[in-house]
Amino acid sequence: MGGWLRRAPLLERRRDWRCLALVGASLALALCSAAPRAQTLTNLTYGEVKFGVLAHDAGFLGGKEHGVDLNPEIIMPSPVTDAWTASLPGYLRWMVQPRPTFGVEANTSRYTNQFYFGTTWTWQFCSNILQPGDGITGGIFFGGAANDGEIVSNKPDRKNLGSHLLFREALELGYRINPVWQISAYIDHVSNAGTARYNQSINDVGARLGVRF
């Protein structure tokens, strides 16, 4: 029993790194596929309001908490202007217009809730697919998250988060219906990246609707 307890944090770290690897591999694939066309990517820099419905702590990513997360989010316009960006080499333009982002993931089953903050980068990869003005978009988020979960727990359906302040990453793949509305698939990951004794991550997966303002 004592040996299992000593191994448990290591198992948690390995599971967390597998989740991080999935997010990282998806991000790397997106960026590598986009890199050759960096000069033709369109940075999306306007403000948006989004609302998502997410499976909380998805089971296929090692989850054991339950419920659905309601996910309102506001993405502010990028403070970096298009005029300044146009002065840069094409291979740099895709990365210099992040948008400040604030959101909530409110759990419907009394498990962990989150408030998060950070920056979002979003690009339109192609346009005029099904109708004039539509397009395929992709985005990444990086920042922090505050939560009301359990730092250490012996409950079978709660995560040992290790901290109430965590790192947060997210990936989004969307269809821009027109210049105003967008639908997308979404995945996010929160953990303390091994900075605490316990580090069980939470990974949410779902769909979102966005509207431009």
Short mmCIF file of all heavy atoms in Angstrom, two decimals, residues 146-177:
data_model
loop_
_atom_site.label_atom_id
_atom_site.label_comp_id
_atom_site.label_asym_id
_atom_site.label_seq_id
_atom_site.Cartn_x
_atom_site.Cartn_y
_atom_site.Cartn_z
N ALA A 146 -8.15 30.00 -12.40
CA ALA A 146 -8.42 29.85 -10.97
C ALA A 146 -9.59 28.90 -10.82
O ALA A 146 -10.57 28.98 -11.56
CB ALA A 146 -8.74 31.21 -10.34
N ASN A 147 -9.51 27.99 -9.85
CA ASN A 147 -10.56 26.99 -9.68
C ASN A 147 -10.95 26.83 -8.22
O ASN A 147 -10.23 27.24 -7.31
CB ASN A 147 -10.09 25.65 -10.24
CG ASN A 147 -9.00 25.02 -9.39
OD1 ASN A 147 -9.26 24.41 -8.37
ND2 ASN A 147 -7.74 25.19 -9.83
N ASP A 148 -12.14 26.23 -8.01
CA ASP A 148 -12.61 25.94 -6.66
C ASP A 148 -12.60 24.44 -6.39
O ASP A 148 -13.33 23.94 -5.54
CB ASP A 148 -14.02 26.50 -6.44
CG ASP A 148 -15.05 25.87 -7.36
OD1 ASP A 148 -14.68 25.06 -8.23
OD2 ASP A 148 -16.25 26.20 -7.21
N GLY A 149 -11.75 23.71 -7.13
CA GLY A 149 -11.66 22.26 -6.94
C GLY A 149 -10.87 21.89 -5.70
O GLY A 149 -10.51 22.73 -4.88
N GLU A 150 -10.57 20.60 -5.58
CA GLU A 150 -9.88 20.08 -4.40
C GLU A 150 -8.39 19.90 -4.69
O GLU A 150 -8.01 19.27 -5.67
CB GLU A 150 -10.52 18.76 -3.96
CG GLU A 150 -11.99 18.93 -3.58
CD GLU A 150 -12.54 17.76 -2.79
OE1 GLU A 150 -11.73 16.92 -2.33
OE2 GLU A 150 -13.77 17.69 -2.63
N ILE A 151 -7.58 20.49 -3.83
CA ILE A 151 -6.13 20.39 -4.00
C ILE A 151 -5.67 18.96 -3.74
O ILE A 151 -4.89 18.39 -4.50
CB ILE A 151 -5.41 21.38 -3.06
CG1 ILE A 151 -5.74 22.82 -3.48
CG2 ILE A 151 -3.91 21.15 -3.08
CD1 ILE A 151 -5.13 23.86 -2.59
N VAL A 152 -6.17 18.37 -2.65
CA VAL A 152 -5.89 16.97 -2.32
C VAL A 152 -7.22 16.34 -1.92
O VAL A 152 -7.95 16.89 -1.09
CB VAL A 152 -4.87 16.84 -1.17
CG1 VAL A 152 -4.63 15.37 -0.85
CG2 VAL A 152 -3.57 17.52 -1.53
N SER A 153 -7.53 15.20 -2.49
CA SER A 153 -8.80 14.55 -2.20
C SER A 153 -8.64 13.04 -2.24
O SER A 153 -7.88 12.50 -3.05
CB SER A 153 -9.86 14.99 -3.22
OG SER A 153 -11.08 14.30 -2.99
N ASN A 154 -9.36 12.35 -1.36
CA ASN A 154 -9.39 10.88 -1.41
C ASN A 154 -10.72 10.37 -1.96
O ASN A 154 -11.02 9.19 -1.88
CB ASN A 154 -9.13 10.29 -0.02
CG ASN A 154 -10.14 10.78 1.02
OD1 ASN A 154 -11.12 11.46 0.68
ND2 ASN A 154 -9.91 10.43 2.27
N LYS A 155 -11.51 11.28 -2.53
CA LYS A 155 -12.80 10.88 -3.11
C LYS A 155 -12.57 10.28 -4.49
O LYS A 155 -11.77 10.79 -5.28
CB LYS A 155 -13.72 12.10 -3.21
CG LYS A 155 -14.01 12.76 -1.87
CD LYS A 155 -14.82 14.04 -2.07
CE LYS A 155 -15.02 14.77 -0.74
NZ LYS A 155 -15.72 16.06 -0.93
N PRO A 156 -13.27 9.20 -4.82
CA PRO A 156 -13.01 8.54 -6.10
C PRO A 156 -13.45 9.35 -7.32
O PRO A 156 -13.05 9.03 -8.44
CB PRO A 156 -13.83 7.24 -5.98
CG PRO A 156 -14.91 7.57 -5.00
CD PRO A 156 -14.28 8.50 -4.01
N ASP A 157 -14.28 10.37 -7.10
CA ASP A 157 -14.77 11.16 -8.23
C ASP A 157 -14.29 12.61 -8.19
O ASP A 157 -14.89 13.49 -8.80
CB ASP A 157 -16.31 11.13 -8.27
CG ASP A 157 -16.94 11.72 -7.01
OD1 ASP A 157 -16.22 11.91 -6.00
OD2 ASP A 157 -18.16 11.99 -7.04
N ARG A 158 -13.17 12.86 -7.50
CA ARG A 158 -12.59 14.20 -7.49
C ARG A 158 -11.11 14.13 -7.85
O ARG A 158 -10.41 13.18 -7.49
CB ARG A 158 -12.75 14.87 -6.11
CG ARG A 158 -14.19 15.13 -5.70
CD ARG A 158 -14.96 15.97 -6.72
NE ARG A 158 -14.43 17.29 -6.93
CZ ARG A 158 -14.94 18.39 -6.38
NH1 ARG A 158 -15.98 18.32 -5.56
NH2 ARG A 158 -14.40 19.58 -6.66
N LYS A 159 -10.64 15.17 -8.52
CA LYS A 159 -9.24 15.25 -8.91
C LYS A 159 -8.41 15.94 -7.83
O LYS A 159 -8.87 16.87 -7.17
CB LYS A 159 -9.12 16.05 -10.22
CG LYS A 159 -9.59 15.31 -11.46
CD LYS A 159 -8.66 14.18 -11.81
CE LYS A 159 -8.99 13.47 -13.11
NZ LYS A 159 -8.76 14.28 -14.31
N ASN A 160 -7.15 15.48 -7.67
CA ASN A 160 -6.16 16.15 -6.84
C ASN A 160 -5.47 17.20 -7.71
O ASN A 160 -4.48 16.91 -8.39
CB ASN A 160 -5.12 15.16 -6.30
CG ASN A 160 -5.75 14.09 -5.41
OD1 ASN A 160 -6.60 14.39 -4.59
ND2 ASN A 160 -5.32 12.86 -5.61
N LEU A 161 -5.96 18.41 -7.68
CA LEU A 161 -5.46 19.43 -8.60
C LEU A 161 -4.12 20.02 -8.17
O LEU A 161 -3.40 20.58 -8.98
CB LEU A 161 -6.50 20.55 -8.76
CG LEU A 161 -7.84 20.09 -9.34
CD1 LEU A 161 -8.81 21.28 -9.42
CD2 LEU A 161 -7.65 19.48 -10.72
N GLY A 162 -3.82 19.94 -6.88
CA GLY A 162 -2.52 20.43 -6.41
C GLY A 162 -2.46 21.91 -6.15
O GLY A 162 -1.59 22.39 -5.41
N SER A 163 -3.35 22.70 -6.76
CA SER A 163 -3.33 24.15 -6.60
C SER A 163 -4.66 24.72 -7.08
O SER A 163 -5.34 24.12 -7.92
CB SER A 163 -2.18 24.75 -7.41
OG SER A 163 -2.22 26.17 -7.38
N HIS A 164 -5.00 25.89 -6.54
CA HIS A 164 -6.19 26.60 -7.03
C HIS A 164 -5.87 27.52 -8.21
O HIS A 164 -6.77 28.12 -8.79
CB HIS A 164 -6.82 27.42 -5.91
CG HIS A 164 -7.51 26.57 -4.87
ND1 HIS A 164 -8.48 25.66 -5.20
CD2 HIS A 164 -7.36 26.51 -3.52
CE1 HIS A 164 -8.91 25.05 -4.10
NE2 HIS A 164 -8.24 25.55 -3.08
N LEU A 165 -4.58 27.62 -8.56
CA LEU A 165 -4.15 28.38 -9.73
C LEU A 165 -3.41 27.45 -10.67
O LEU A 165 -2.41 26.84 -10.28
CB LEU A 165 -3.26 29.57 -9.34
CG LEU A 165 -3.93 30.69 -8.55
CD1 LEU A 165 -2.88 31.72 -8.12
CD2 LEU A 165 -5.01 31.36 -9.38
N LEU A 166 -3.89 27.32 -11.89
CA LEU A 166 -3.35 26.35 -12.83
C LEU A 166 -3.01 27.00 -14.17
O LEU A 166 -3.50 28.08 -14.48
CB LEU A 166 -4.37 25.22 -13.06
CG LEU A 166 -4.83 24.46 -11.82
CD1 LEU A 166 -5.94 23.49 -12.19
CD2 LEU A 166 -3.67 23.71 -11.17
N PHE A 167 -2.18 26.33 -14.95
CA PHE A 167 -1.96 26.71 -16.34
C PHE A 167 -3.11 26.17 -17.18
O PHE A 167 -3.65 25.10 -16.89
CB PHE A 167 -0.63 26.14 -16.85
CG PHE A 167 0.57 26.64 -16.12
CD1 PHE A 167 1.22 25.85 -15.18
CD2 PHE A 167 1.07 27.91 -16.37
CE1 PHE A 167 2.34 26.31 -14.50
CE2 PHE A 167 2.18 28.39 -15.70
CZ PHE A 167 2.82 27.59 -14.77
N ARG A 168 -3.43 26.90 -18.25
CA ARG A 168 -4.53 26.46 -19.12
C ARG A 168 -4.14 26.63 -20.58
O ARG A 168 -3.61 27.67 -20.97
CB ARG A 168 -5.81 27.25 -18.83
CG ARG A 168 -7.02 26.78 -19.62
CD ARG A 168 -8.25 27.60 -19.24
NE ARG A 168 -9.46 27.07 -19.84
CZ ARG A 168 -9.91 27.38 -21.06
NH1 ARG A 168 -9.23 28.24 -21.80
NH2 ARG A 168 -11.03 26.85 -21.53
N GLU A 169 -4.40 25.59 -21.37
CA GLU A 169 -4.20 25.63 -22.82
C GLU A 169 -5.47 25.14 -23.48
O GLU A 169 -6.19 24.31 -22.92
CB GLU A 169 -3.03 24.73 -23.25
CG GLU A 169 -1.71 25.01 -22.54
CD GLU A 169 -1.60 24.26 -21.23
OE1 GLU A 169 -2.08 23.11 -21.15
OE2 GLU A 169 -1.05 24.84 -20.28
N ALA A 170 -5.74 25.62 -24.69
CA ALA A 170 -6.94 25.18 -25.42
C ALA A 170 -6.70 25.24 -26.91
O ALA A 170 -5.88 26.03 -27.40
CB ALA A 170 -8.13 26.06 -25.04
N LEU A 171 -7.42 24.39 -27.62
CA LEU A 171 -7.40 24.35 -29.08
C LEU A 171 -8.83 24.45 -29.59
O LEU A 171 -9.76 23.89 -28.98
CB LEU A 171 -6.79 23.06 -29.59
CG LEU A 171 -5.29 22.82 -29.36
CD1 LEU A 171 -4.92 21.40 -29.78
CD2 LEU A 171 -4.46 23.83 -30.11
N GLU A 172 -9.01 25.13 -30.72
CA GLU A 172 -10.35 25.29 -31.29
C GLU A 172 -10.26 25.19 -32.81
O GLU A 172 -9.38 25.76 -33.43
CB GLU A 172 -10.93 26.65 -30.88
CG GLU A 172 -12.39 26.83 -31.26
CD GLU A 172 -13.03 28.00 -30.51
OE1 GLU A 172 -12.29 28.91 -30.08
OE2 GLU A 172 -14.25 28.00 -30.35
N LEU A 173 -11.19 24.43 -33.40
CA LEU A 173 -11.30 24.31 -34.85
C LEU A 173 -12.72 24.66 -35.23
O LEU A 173 -13.67 24.04 -34.74
CB LEU A 173 -10.96 22.90 -35.30
CG LEU A 173 -11.03 22.65 -36.83
CD1 LEU A 173 -9.98 23.49 -37.54
CD2 LEU A 173 -10.84 21.17 -37.13
N GLY A 174 -12.88 25.69 -36.07
CA GLY A 174 -14.22 26.20 -36.31
C GLY A 174 -14.58 26.38 -37.77
O GLY A 174 -13.72 26.37 -38.67
N TYR A 175 -15.88 26.55 -37.97
CA TYR A 175 -16.42 26.91 -39.28
C TYR A 175 -17.06 28.28 -39.13
O TYR A 175 -18.01 28.46 -38.36
CB TYR A 175 -17.45 25.89 -39.76
CG TYR A 175 -18.17 26.32 -41.02
CD1 TYR A 175 -17.48 26.51 -42.21
CD2 TYR A 175 -19.54 26.54 -41.01
CE1 TYR A 175 -18.13 26.91 -43.37
CE2 TYR A 175 -20.21 26.93 -42.17
CZ TYR A 175 -19.50 27.10 -43.34
OH TYR A 175 -20.15 27.51 -44.49
N ARG A 176 -16.53 29.25 -39.85
CA ARG A 176 -17.06 30.62 -39.84
C ARG A 176 -18.21 30.68 -40.85
O ARG A 176 -17.99 30.72 -42.06
CB ARG A 176 -15.94 31.59 -40.20
CG ARG A 176 -16.24 33.05 -39.94
CD ARG A 176 -15.04 33.88 -40.36
NE ARG A 176 -15.23 35.30 -40.11
CZ ARG A 176 -14.56 36.26 -40.73
NH1 ARG A 176 -13.66 35.94 -41.64
NH2 ARG A 176 -14.79 37.52 -40.45
N ILE A 177 -19.42 30.68 -40.34
CA ILE A 177 -20.60 30.62 -41.21
C ILE A 177 -20.68 31.86 -42.09
O ILE A 177 -21.00 31.79 -43.28
CB ILE A 177 -21.87 30.47 -40.35
CG1 ILE A 177 -21.76 29.20 -39.48
CG2 ILE A 177 -23.12 30.43 -41.22
CD1 ILE A 177 -22.84 29.10 -38.42
#
